Structures are given as C-alpha cells and as structure tokens.
Amino acid sequence: MGSEEGAVLKGDSGGKAELLNLLNKTENPVIMTCNDPMKLWGRGNWRRNRDRVNRVSENITFERVGPADLRRIALRVLDSEGIGIDPGALDALIRRNPGDLRALVKDLQSLSVTTSDHVDMAAVSELSGSVLRDSQINVFESLKRAYNSDSGLLASEAVLNSDKSPDEMLAWFSWNNQSAISNRGLEEISGAMCDSDSYLATKFTNRAFRSWYWGSSLPTQAIAAVTDSRNDGGVFISFPEFLRRGGETWRNADLIGRLAASLGTSKASFREDLWPALLAINDKSLGASEYDFTVSKKIGLSGEDHLAIFGIPKTSKVGKSILEEFGQIEEMPEKQEAPSSDKVEQSNDESQSTLDSFG
C-alpha cells in the first residue's frame, strides 16, 4: 500500500487560492478580520501574496485614536450635553485612555451621572480609582512609551498593557536597546537584562517564584533608570530580526532538527538556546569567515548546512567554491603526528579520561 500511496499534504494548503477564488466570484460583501497580516501573507514571497489579495480587496487598518482627537471628541460630547470640565481633569481623562473612543464615551457617561453640570479633577480621580479597564496596546507603542517615560511606574504600566508576553518583550527590549540607549547606558543595564532572562527560564520549574513579574519589571525599571541615555521622543522601534523565523536566507528546515537530534534536545530548545550562539560564532561581522570550516566539521555539518548558516546560496559562484573546498577538506586524510621521544609514555588503560576526551 505504501507504493500506491500518493503525495501526502502536510498541514493546510490551498487556502489563499480558495480565498482569491471566493473574492473574485462572490456577489456579496465579504469582511475579513486579521490580527497579524503577515501570517495571512505567509512565508517566502509574501509581497506577491499581499498584492494578489489587495487587487480584489481593500485593506482597512484600525489605529488607536491620538490625544488631540480624543480631546476634540470629548469637548464635542460635553458641549452637546451642556457639561463643563476643568482643563486638568480633561488632561487626566485623556492620559489614562489608551486611544479607545468607546471607552472615552463611557467615561464621560459615568462622569455625567456623578456630577451635575461640571466635571472637576476629584470626579476624574474617583473614576480612575474605581474603574480598571483591561486594554492592550501595540508593542511598538508600548515600547515608545516605556523609552520616553519619566518614571519607572509609567514605563511598567506601558509594558503591562502590551500585547506581548514578558518573554517576547525581553526580546524586543534587547533588540531596540542598541539604538535607543547609549553604550554607557547599555553597560549599566546589562546585569538587569541578564537577570531577567534567567528569571524567565524558571517559570516552568519554580511556580512559587514570580518569574513573569520580575522578567518584565527588571528590564523596564533598568531602562527607566537611564534617563540621560534616551532620545527625547525620537525613539525608533524596529522588529527584532532574530524573531523573523521562517523567511530567513539561512533557514534550512532539516538543519535544526538534525542538530537537535544529534545533541539529544528538542527543536525549540535548540532554536532558542543554541542556534543564536551558533549564528554568532559564524557571524562575519564578528570576525568569522565562510572559508573556516572548523566549527561546521566539529558538529558534523554538511557543506550545504555550512552555506545555510552564512546565508550563501549554494548555486552562487562563492557557494560552489566553498562547497568544493569543503569537500576537499572532508576527503583529505588526517595527518598523523610522528611519535616523539620527548613525549611521556601514556597509560595503556583505555578507560582513563584524558584532556582530549573533553575537546
């Protein structure tokens, strides 16, 4: 039966083609919601997939409302209801709003019930103490608020309301700290960043230790402490390159699985703990060379795996040259060192451990 069995599909397939077919043939409105568009475009040539969908549809992005628009709409609602408000109370009401118009209207409705014809700071403070709204903000916006906050409390609130977990936020902090904080500031917070990473690693082994709390609080407070190292409002937040899994030039589907199996660990553990170190060892900006096969030979990589780590296509001129030299070195017999009379006679016991066995 194995010989008669056809090709087996792994996972979902044909979804985008069927979606395009539906959008081309339908005579009824179709509304699609997507939290992460990149997952819809898929891996590989995602720009082509995006353009194909956008030709038969319209992309509408929902953004949070800015403070100026919140102020304008709040004043319009209050004027229509004949209710006044103190400038400081309006500022406090807008400051605690994450950019949600519906939440703003509900707050104004609650204030109109508790006050007669004028809203003061005491009423807004009372509302803030009695209402706790569960809202999340985009990771880019939360990081901007954290880097530009005047205190650790505001920075912690921004990170707490983010749509990312402490593990992901630590990765975002580690990547963007390089551009948002000076070298001196990076040296000052390096200890806190390392501690938070080690604390997050214990969340599955020690349930009593609040690893998620300390894993997010430590880097946030450390960043808030280096106030003289931040750019005033001009922080540029970028997506961490090491989190772009699946579309990298060096990605090889079998490489990670093969290395994880040879080391007796899981793919996830190898990808998170050992893979970054392997990439750093073979990083040309750190002094590595694609013609140095020492590490690749040591861990049993093939020539194609070696090219994959460096992101070199095997069909290119450089790739063919490296593969040829890699094969020559692999076929070259190891040189046997001539015995020296000055060497101390080794023990005949094969079970005796030597320094060579730890290499």
Side-chain angles (χ1 to χ4, degrees), residues 147-180:
Y147 282 119
N148 295 317
S149 297
D150 298 331
S151 66
L153 178 60
L154 296 178
S156 298
E157 291 179 355
V159 174
L160 183 63
N161 293 328
S162 174
D163 55 356
K164 299 294 181 182
S165 65
D167 302 72
E168 295 173 305
M169 287 301 299
L170 182 61
W172 281 78
F173 273 130
S174 301
W175 177 265
N176 289 279
N177 283 350
Q178 314 303 317
S179 59

Side-chain angles (χ1 to χ4, degrees), residues 85-251:
I85 188 172
D86 293 339
L90 181 59
D91 293 339
L93 186 64
I94 294 176
R95 194 182 308 115
R96 64 183 294 271
N97 190 289
D100 189 349
L101 282 178
R102 182 172 57 180
L104 177 65
V105 174
K106 287 185 176 181
D107 289 343
L108 294 176
Q109 183 179 8
S110 300
L111 292 172
S112 64
V113 174
T114 57
T115 59
S116 56
D117 56 354
H118 190 82
V119 178
D120 54 9
M121 190 64 189
V124 175
S125 300
E126 182 180 357
L127 178 66
S128 301
S130 59
V131 176
L132 180 61
R133 183 171 291 109
D134 183 15
S135 61
Q136 292 184 341
I137 57 179
N138 184 275
V139 60
F140 291 93
E141 183 63 27
S142 63
L143 285 179
K144 286 183 179 179
R145 294 184 184 181
Y147 282 119
N148 295 317
S149 297
D150 298 331
S151 66
L153 178 60
L154 296 178
S156 298
E157 291 179 355
V159 174
L160 183 63
N161 293 328
S162 174
D163 55 356
K164 299 294 181 182
S165 65
D167 302 72
E168 295 173 305
M169 287 301 299
L170 182 61
W172 281 78
F173 273 130
S174 301
W175 177 265
N176 289 279
N177 283 350
Q178 314 303 317
S179 59
I181 300 178
S182 66
N183 292 334
R184 181 180 177 182
L186 291 175
E187 294 178 0
E188 294 177 358
I189 68 174
S190 61
M193 300 296 293
C194 293
D195 289 341
S196 60
D197 183 64
S198 63
Y199 294 159
L200 288 173
T202 64
K203 62 178 176 289
F204 297 116
T205 57
N206 188 349
R207 300 299 179 89
F209 183 72
R210 300 182 61 188
S211 60
W212 269 42
Y213 171 79
W214 289 112
S216 60
S217 296
L218 275 180
T220 305
Q221 298 302 320
I223 290 170
V226 289
T227 54
D228 57 337
S229 304
R230 297 196 309 264
N231 299 323
D232 295 336
V235 179
F236 176 74
I237 307 299
S238 61
F239 193 98
E241 290 294 335
F242 57 84
L243 292 182
R244 299 183 186 274
R245 297 171 180 168
E248 306 88 337
T249 57
W250 45 261
R251 171 64 64 185

Side-chain angles (χ1 to χ4, degrees), residues 243-277:
L243 292 182
R244 299 183 186 274
R245 297 171 180 168
E248 306 88 337
T249 57
W250 45 261
R251 171 64 64 185
N252 189 318
D254 300 328
L255 176 57
I256 292 181
R258 186 163 57 253
L259 289 175
S262 64
L263 296 175
T265 183
S266 64
K267 293 182 181 179
S269 299
F270 180 85
R271 187 185 298 112
E272 295 181 3
D273 299 331
L274 301 179
W275 185 249

